[in-house]
């Protein structure tokens, strides 16, 4: 890295149609660009307004000053499972909902079933559920969150509790960056497509996409 000039600029950057980085009143040309703008929780449309202060994400859950009595975790990926197990072990009554009968993104059916069996010893799980509505009920000074859903058998159910932790995945923060001006095509989740050495237009944009978080503990039966 010897000979490289490092300069820190505070501002909101954007890549213009000429492929130059615009930040404040400055134009910057670069042969290679590394984008490391992080990610944000994906929130289904309307949920933030309907749930209000009863909604939590992996970004603000650690700002809780006290433990809730009950919590619903929506999403059984790595983040949802990790936080569901953590709060359960802290004494919170946790209910985990997921739209498919799968946990942690496991593709092998036998391993998935074994993981579900292990997790069922400490978690109340409703896998294969379809959420139809969310919201909150306000009674004087208390707020109660609710989730209406159809279970795996197609029966209508409702959960009520203190808060809802939305763990439905994360999306990158490049939507407004202008990477399309570098010849990078994005899919419907704002992820670069065809990013390979064979695609010269995209390869000049060395894209640092994301780190996959790994659970710090193994799944095991109690």
């Amino acid at each position: 890295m010897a000979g490289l000039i490092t300069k820190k600029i505070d501002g909101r950057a954007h890549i213009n149609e000429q492929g130059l980085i615009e930040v404040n009143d400055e134009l910057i040309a670069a042969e290679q660009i590394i984008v490391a703008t992080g990610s944000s929780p994906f929130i289904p449309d309307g949920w933030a307004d309907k749930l209000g202060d009863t909604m939590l994400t992996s970004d603000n859950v650690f700002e809780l000053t006290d433990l809730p009595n009950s919590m619903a975790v929506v999403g059984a990926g790595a983040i949802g499972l990790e936080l569901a197990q953590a709060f359960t072990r802290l004494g919170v009554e946790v209910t985990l909902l997921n739209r498919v009968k799968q946990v942690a993104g496991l593709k092998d059916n036998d391993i998935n079933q074994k993981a579900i069996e292990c997790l069922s010893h400490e978690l109340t799980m409703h896998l294969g559920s379809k959420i139809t509505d969310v919201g909150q009920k306000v009674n004087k000074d208390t707020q109660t969150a609710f989730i209406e859903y159809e279970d795996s058998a197609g029966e209508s159910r409702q959960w009520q509790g203190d808060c809802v932790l939305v763990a439905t995945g994360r999306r990158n923060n490049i939507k407004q960056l202008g990477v399309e001006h570098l010849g990078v095509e994005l899919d419907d989740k704002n992820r670069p497509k065809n990013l390979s050495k064979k695609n010269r237009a995209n390869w000049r944009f060395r894209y640092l996409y994301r780190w996959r978080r790994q659970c710090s503990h193994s799944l095991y039966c109690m």
Side-chain angles (χ1 to χ4, degrees), residues 205-218:
F205 174 72
R206 301 285 180 90
Y207 179 67
L208 180 60
Y209 181 52
R210 65 181 178 180
W211 294 94
R212 286 189 178 272
R213 296 185 62 198
Q214 298 294 328
C215 291
S216 58
H217 54 268
S218 300

Side-chain angles (χ1 to χ4, degrees), residues 159-180:
W159 171 91
Q160 292 189 36
D162 291 338
C163 56
V164 176
L165 174 61
V166 181
T168 50
R170 298 181 69 89
R171 299 287 173 87
N172 62 57
N173 295 327
I174 65 172
K175 186 175 183 179
Q176 307 300 326
L177 193 57
V179 296
E180 65 276 9

Side-chain angles (χ1 to χ4, degrees), residues 44 47 72-81 84 94-107 112 116 119 123-132 147-153 159 164-169:
W47 282 28
V73 177
V74 180
I79 294 176
L81 281 180
V94 175
T95 299
L96 180 68
L97 298 100
N98 201 43
R99 63 183 178 82
V100 295
K101 295 181 179 180
Q102 187 181 58
V103 295
L106 295 172
K107 303 299 184 183
N112 181 60
I116 292 173
L119 291 165
L123 292 176
T124 298
M125 297 191 295
H126 297 291
L127 304 179
S129 297
K130 178 183 178 181
I131 295 177
T132 56
I147 298 175
E148 295 179 355
Y149 65 97
E150 294 179 1
D151 63 19
S152 59
W159 171 91
V164 176
L165 174 61
V166 181
T168 50

Side-chain angles (χ1 to χ4, degrees), residues 19-220:
L20 301 175
I21 301 172
E22 294 184 9
V23 55
N24 303 330
D25 296 324
E26 192 171 352
L27 290 176
I28 302 170
E31 291 184 4
Q32 297 175 350
I33 301 173
I34 296 177
V35 175
T37 50
S39 62
S40 301
F42 171 73
I43 309 298
D45 290 342
W47 282 28
D49 292 333
K50 289 182 177 181
L51 289 169
D53 293 338
T54 65
M55 189 186 81
L56 298 171
T57 69
S58 55
D59 278 0
N60 65 6
V61 67
F62 299 104
E63 298 173 6
L64 287 173
T65 57
D66 198 6
L67 290 172
N69 293 316
S70 57
M71 170 189 292
V73 177
V74 180
I79 294 176
L81 281 180
E82 183 177 357
L83 292 173
Q85 287 181 295
F87 278 99
T88 293
R89 294 169 186 178
L90 289 171
V92 179
E93 182 182 337
V94 175
T95 299
L96 180 68
L97 298 100
N98 201 43
R99 63 183 178 82
V100 295
K101 295 181 179 180
Q102 187 181 58
V103 295
L106 295 172
K107 303 299 184 183
D108 185 279
N109 185 62
D110 291 337
I111 296 175
N112 181 60
Q113 290 303 314
K114 185 61 178 178
I116 292 173
E117 179 184 338
C118 291
L119 291 165
S120 295
H121 289 288
E122 61 176 338
L123 292 176
T124 298
M125 297 191 295
H126 297 291
L127 304 179
S129 297
K130 178 183 178 181
I131 295 177
T132 56
D133 197 16
V134 299
Q136 58 177 318
K137 300 177 181 178
V138 180
N139 183 14
K140 293 183 178 180
D141 296 329
T142 62
Q143 294 175 312
T144 301
F146 71 83
I147 298 175
E148 295 179 355
Y149 65 97
E150 294 179 1
D151 63 19
S152 59
E155 297 291 332
S156 296
R157 306 287 184 184
Q158 186 183 78
W159 171 91
Q160 292 189 36
D162 291 338
C163 56
V164 176
L165 174 61
V166 181
T168 50
R170 298 181 69 89
R171 299 287 173 87
N172 62 57
N173 295 327
I174 65 172
K175 186 175 183 179
Q176 307 300 326
L177 193 57
V179 296
E180 65 276 9
H181 296 142
L182 297 176
V184 178
E185 185 181 356
L186 303 178
D187 64 15
D188 58 350
K189 295 183 179 180
N190 296 324
R191 298 175 300 192
K193 297 168 61 177
N194 304 320
L195 194 61
S196 67
K197 290 184 178 181
K198 293 181 180 179
N199 190 327
R200 303 304 300 180
N202 281 353
W203 185 244
R204 58 186 291 263
F205 174 72
R206 301 285 180 90
Y207 179 67
L208 180 60
Y209 181 52
R210 65 181 178 180
W211 294 94
R212 286 189 178 272
R213 296 185 62 198
Q214 298 294 328
C215 291
S216 58
H217 54 268
S218 300
L219 301 178
Y220 60 94

